[in-house]
Amino acid sequence: MLQWNRLRSALFLVALLVDQCQTQPPFVQGVYSMKYEYMEMQGDVNDIVPPPCLGPFPYTYSYELSITQVQGSSTIYFCYDRNDCTARTLSTVIQMGSVDVLKQKCTFQPYQGLSAFGQTPLASAPSVQQEMKPQMVIGNVRQDIEPHTFSSFHVGTKDPLIWGMYCKQYNWPDGPDGRNYNSRGSLYYHNTWRNENETWLFIREIKNCPCYPACAACEELVDGTVWLRRVQTGADGKKCLAAYGITEEACPFTIIGVGGGPVFFYDKRPLEDGSPQRCYMYSQIRGDYLRAVDTSSSSSSSSSS
């Protein structure tokens, strides 16, 4: 009986340690080179007013993103501003992409500006109270068109689930007041607001491991996806990497994601219902790890951006 109790206690401890490994937030702190490439652009089909979809396509912009995080915490702090991150630091919580999390986070939630990140929105930020998708008008009936960028993006279905920021809903001004200052995009999107439903996944890619390409076989396809690959997980993954003298912690994270939604044009004549003309644009997102955050100063995010 004593031996059984000891065995049961040992099994419980092993299960607890495994569970902690799966539920412990990954340490994703670092400076990333972010690239948003809008690969899908469309307006409402068969509508009376032609959609204002103009400009370069695919439409791309990039910036450096600085992420700071306390080890073991699911809250990350980040900013887009290379000059002074201390004034515009945002925060969000990363979670494992379980079915419950996806149902909760990816259901439409009203937003205005960066309210989803706990920031007081600019007075000019549109308040969005309903989900908006491209529509096809057939007769007098409007039908939603599912964006291919979203419908083709899968996050996995089996353990270990992927940690990420899921379906953050917010909007921001494009052109001179937004992320595209001095870019050619401001020629076409001046005085517009981009509405985003944005997801980031934190993935360890085998090509970022110091043993690559020798260890190229130490990767796996994420279950439930058709193209998303990561460093092999579990005991087999540890064994594979150990043969090259490393653990997965030696492989920095990459951010993989999608985002997008309607772009509101306020320089153009409103539609009959008074709403702004809009074009729907959806992006593929990639963030490549550049370097560690400089924590030598009192403001780590400011000094690293």
Side-chain angles (χ1 to χ4, degrees), residues 5 45-46 59 71 76 79 93 121 138 143 209 216 221 261 274:
N5 286 336
V45 179
N46 297 337
Y59 175 42
Q71 189 87 41
I76 61 174
C79 102
V93 172
I138 302 178
Q143 300 178 2
C209 298
L221 179 69

Side-chain angles (χ1 to χ4, degrees), residues 192-249:
T192 65
W193 278 81
R194 290 187 175 274
N195 296 272
E196 303 281 359
N197 186 328
E198 189 167 319
T199 292
W200 295 349
L201 306 181
F202 290 94
I203 298 286
R204 295 187 194 270
E205 293 184 312
I206 193 65
K207 67 179 182 180
N208 293 330
C209 298
C211 57
Y212 187 81
C215 60
C218 299
E219 73 169 355
E220 65 184 12
L221 179 69
V222 177
D223 283 327
T225 73
V226 295
W227 59 268
L228 193 60
R229 308 188 75 86
R230 63 183 171 193
V231 171
Q232 189 176 11
T233 57
D236 289 341
K238 292 180 179 179
K239 182 179 179 181
C240 189
L241 293 177
Y244 300 93
I246 68 167
T247 64
E248 68 172 15
E249 283 71 26

Side-chain angles (χ1 to χ4, degrees), residues 35-41 57-61 147-150 153 170 172 179 194-200 256-261 280-286:
K35 180 180 180 181
Y36 287 59
E37 190 165 14
Y38 285 88
M39 302 296 294
E40 183 177 1
M41 178 169 65
F57 185 80
Y59 175 42
T60 302
Y61 69 85
H148 175 74
T149 302
F150 286 175
F153 187 76
Y170 68 102
W172 56 276
R179 298 175 183 166
R194 290 187 175 274
N195 296 272
E196 303 281 359
N197 186 328
E198 189 167 319
T199 292
W200 295 349
I256 303 292
V258 292
Y280 296 84
M281 299 181 67
Y282 301 92
S283 65
Q284 297 174 357
I285 303 169
R286 181 177 178 86

Side-chain angles (χ1 to χ4, degrees), residues 48-69:
I48 298 176
V49 179
C53 298
L54 300 171
F57 185 80
Y59 175 42
T60 302
Y61 69 85
S62 59
Y63 58 87
E64 283 190 7
L65 177 76
S66 177
I67 296 179
T68 57
Q69 179 188 15

Side-chain angles (χ1 to χ4, degrees), residues 20-36:
Q20 287 178 340
C21 290
Q22 291 179 345
T23 59
Q24 181 81 358
F27 190 61
V28 299
Q29 178 169 295
V31 180
Y32 295 79
S33 174
M34 300 292 289
K35 180 180 180 181
Y36 287 59

